[in-house]
Amino acid sequence: MPSTGTSPEASHAAPLVVVANRLPVEYVGNAGEGEWRRAPGGLVSALEPALAGRPATWIGWSGHTSDSTEPALPEAIDDLRIVAVPLSGEQVEQFYEGFSNGALWPLYHDVVVTPAYHRPEFVAYREVNAVFAAKVAELAPEGGTVWVHDYQLQLVPRMLRDARPDLTIGFFLHIPFPPVELFAQLPWRRQLLEGLLGADLVGFQTHDSARNFLGATRRLLGLDPGGDRVDVPDQDGQRTVRVGAFPIGIGAAAFDTMARAPQIQARARQIREEMGGFRLLFLGVDRLDYTKGIDVRLRAFSEALAEGLLDPSEVTMLQVAIPSRETVEEYRNIRDEIELLVGRINGDLGRVGDPAIHYLHQSVSREELVAMYVAADVLLVTPLRDGMNLVAKEYIASRVQETGAVVLSEFTGAAEQLQEAFIVNPYDIEGLKRTLAAVVASTPEELARRLQSLRTNVFEDDVDRWVRTFLATLEGHVP
Ligand code: GDG
């Protein structure tokens, strides 16, 4: 049963349905013998404050195919009702690994690898979107609010509106929306635009993405968008779809609290000692994805060492590459490329017991991650394109001692907000090397000034504000 909520607001707020590719759960333990738990972090933590006191349902895929042997999901986790959309192994391959990650992901990230457009995969994408939409249509209460997330589900808003015109539908895209010159490649561009325009509000991470989307509705659908809206023809004449930038934030206070905990501080000291004591520690943390520019920063760092721009007795580097999408060929290729590079750099520049780059290809616990943030003097965030980049914000929130520096690609959504970071063009290796040297040469006062300003930004525009602003705009009241 849906949670009914007990706070005073509960009676005013319409029931909320969240729709995302993944449910906020994970299966812990051996197949058949483990249990389902709430997945740590992620969207569910973000939405938690907004869901409190409001009847809410989350609809998504469990991460396990319908032919697997795991026990059934619980009906609710805490106060949140969860409903699984079953997907077969073949659907996951075609819809998720294929169309979502092989076509949309590279296309929306500036074609940094070539997208593969396969017709049967789009058919699977449409089918799976229809399954999601049908499940929402079946379960959403009359007059409720539905918030659909991300690139895997862009057809859902239109399908849902057709089935349930009583609903208020919001859509948020977590990744960039590309310029129309790139988007126009997509054989199914019209279907995707029309799919998104089924929503009442379409939200993006940045103003650039919002503009790109509105531009695409003009160029490819012949509509006449205004600054933050576009009118679309409808059965009853015309509907207005609002469009805007809603940059996602993090639970900054939670990172701050964790970073202050004595055991995290102790672990951070230990990491520093194990990595060479007094040297400045450069850190990279990313899903191992070709969009993240991991290779770029490794090259810049190693060239700067080789050329004497950085002194190996003064600096060292840790790169954590979290395993990701390993069934997709491009991801296996980028892993090979990065690991070859790390091997070469350490072969050329390392010494016994002292590699130039410490490299981990594994997931780490949230505690370990925060200890790394606390330990590192400089965070390197160099994506070729990134919707937002939460790692940059998490590092800033964890710098409770108000020291540290962020080198940040101008092609991240975060760069629109975090202007006091050291902004770089990741395609310009020479410029990146110069920036690394400039960070090392900066005075503590200069670094502290920048970091304080970054912290103000990350704490003010936190995830709570993101959720409240999006929902308030969707539901037509000012936060
Ligand atoms: C997409 C968009 C946008 C990662 N590995 C571990 C771990 N993480 C956590 C990080 C961070 C999150 O995962 C990664 O978020 P990013 O924003 O850096 O990147 P994407 O996964 O590409 O996310 C992106 C985001 O959606 C939100 O809208 O910002 O642009 O691409 O929170 O901390 N956490 C732990 N262990 C790991 O090994 N504990």
Side-chain angles (χ1 to χ4, degrees):
M1 284 299 290
S3 128
T4 46
T6 49
S7 81
E9 307 90 72
S11 51
H12 304 302
L16 179 68
V17 178
V18 175
V19 193
N21 180 45
R22 292 297 297 271
L23 281 171
V25 293
E26 62 181 12
Y27 190 76
V28 186
N30 295 330
E33 290 167 12
E35 56 168 356
W36 291 98
R37 292 208 199 127
R38 217 187 86 170
L43 203 51
V44 69
S45 313
L47 291 168
E48 210 161 33
L51 299 182
R54 181 169 188 173
T57 304
W58 190 304
I59 298 176
W61 175 48
S62 70
H64 291 247
T65 50
S66 40
D67 24 313
S68 69
T69 55
E70 273 67 46
L73 280 161
E75 282 193 4
I77 287 203
D78 303 329
D79 265 354
L80 177 66
R81 179 191 188 195
I82 54 176
V83 178
V85 174
L87 296 183
S88 70
E90 196 187 337
Q91 281 174 323
V92 171
E93 212 177 296
Q94 302 257 311
F95 144 79
Y96 181 63
E97 293 164 4
F99 195 70
S100 297
N101 290 335
L104 294 176
W105 182 269
L107 175 65
Y108 281 33
H109 289 88
D110 286 359
V111 192
V112 295
V113 310
T114 306
Y117 306 124
H118 296 303
R119 286 164 284 179
E121 290 179 354
F122 180 71
V123 172
Y125 182 86
R126 201 174 46 210
E127 263 170 30
V128 171
N129 273 245
V131 176
F132 271 83
K135 190 54 104 182
V136 184
E138 175 196 330
L139 294 175
E142 177 73 23
T145 297
V146 179
W147 190 358
V148 184
H149 289 263
D150 228 0
Y151 62 104
Q152 301 94 350
L153 301 178
Q154 293 173 91
L155 300 177
V156 167
R158 175 81 253 165
M159 292 170 166
L160 193 54
R161 178 164 301 280
D162 288 343
R164 290 289 307 274
D166 60 295
L167 299 173
T168 300
I169 305 169
F171 181 91
F172 183 78
L173 187 69
H174 289 257
I175 68 174
F177 192 90
V180 65
E181 293 77 7
L182 296 179
F183 182 73
Q185 285 184 7
L186 191 68
W188 307 279
R189 59 201 191 183
R190 212 186 157 85
Q191 284 98 317
L192 288 200
L193 288 177
E194 286 171 353
L196 292 169
L197 289 171
D200 296 288
L201 172 64
V202 184
F204 297 93
Q205 301 272 28
T206 64
H207 294 287
D208 280 347
S209 284
R211 268 193 299 271
N212 287 343
F213 174 72
L214 288 171
T217 67
R218 181 193 304 278
R219 261 275 293 278
L220 303 171
L221 298 182
L223 299 177
D224 183 23
D228 63 351
R229 60 194 56 220
V230 54
D231 291 333
V232 296
D234 201 35
Q235 291 146 340
D236 322 319
Q238 177 156 289
R239 283 170 48 236
T240 298
V241 179
R242 277 159 307 151
V243 175
F246 298 85
I248 195 169
I250 59 159
F255 278 90
D256 181 278
T257 305
M258 270 181 85
R260 288 177 200 277
Q263 67 276 23
I264 301 273
Q265 290 281 331
R267 175 63 188 141
R269 279 193 298 277
Q270 193 183 19
I271 292 173
R272 286 196 67 96
E273 277 156 27
E274 284 167 359
M275 293 207 44
F278 294 107
R279 286 191 293 190
L280 286 178
L281 175 55
F282 286 62
L283 174 70
V285 178
D286 316 75
R287 269 189 314 99
L288 208 170
D289 194 300
Y290 50 77
T291 60
K292 299 287 184 182
I294 300 173
D295 49 342
V296 166
R297 83 187 68 135
L298 294 178
R299 278 203 183 92
F301 184 75
S302 63
E303 285 186 24
L305 282 179
E307 293 164 15
L309 272 172
L310 295 176
D311 179 346
S313 67
E314 285 180 0
V315 298
T316 185
M317 177 165 174
L318 169 61
Q319 174 65 52
V320 184
I322 292 113
S324 184
R325 305 180 188 168
E326 292 182 306
T327 48
V328 180
E329 192 191 344
E330 295 291 351
Y331 286 76
R332 291 196 297 269
N333 295 344
I334 186 71
R335 179 176 177 194
D336 288 348
E337 218 174 282
I338 286 168
E339 294 183 354
L340 187 71
L341 200 54
V342 170
R344 252 190 216 154
I345 294 168
N346 284 337
D348 290 344
L349 300 171
R351 284 176 301 185
V352 174
D354 187 18
I357 310 238
H358 296 248
Y359 171 78
L360 298 179
H361 177 253
Q362 51 195 260
S363 301
V364 293
S365 68
R366 166 109 352 169
E367 287 73 19
E368 182 73 356
L369 182 67
V370 175
M372 287 173 178
Y373 291 151
V374 173
D377 300 286
V378 184
L379 182 77
L380 300 179
V381 182
T382 55
L384 305 174
R385 182 58 77 187
D386 208 338
M388 175 55 61
N389 197 283
L390 298 182
V391 167
K393 295 188 171 185
E394 293 168 1
Y395 172 79
I396 292 164
S398 305
R399 301 301 299 172
V400 291
Q401 60 275 61
E402 302 207 336
T403 59
V406 182
V407 174
L408 182 62
S409 161
E410 65 183 88
F411 304 122
T412 61
E416 219 175 69
Q417 300 173 288
L418 303 179
Q419 293 176 5
E420 290 290 349
F422 289 84
I423 303 290
V424 293
N425 172 0
Y427 291 94
D428 174 12
I429 300 267
E430 289 303 318
L432 182 50
K433 279 153 61 179
R434 280 197 301 278
T435 303
L436 298 185
V439 172
V440 172
S442 296
T443 63
E445 294 74 30
E446 165 70 357
L447 295 179
R449 186 191 60 73
R450 285 176 180 255
L451 197 85
Q452 277 157 14
S453 149
L454 293 171
R455 279 177 71 80
T456 304
N457 188 297
V458 166
F459 279 81
E460 276 179 5
D461 281 341
D462 69 355
V463 70
D464 213 9
R465 175 180 279 195
W466 174 71
V467 171
R468 277 186 287 115
T469 311
F470 186 90
L471 287 177
T473 310
L474 175 61
E475 294 176 331
H477 52 85
V478 181

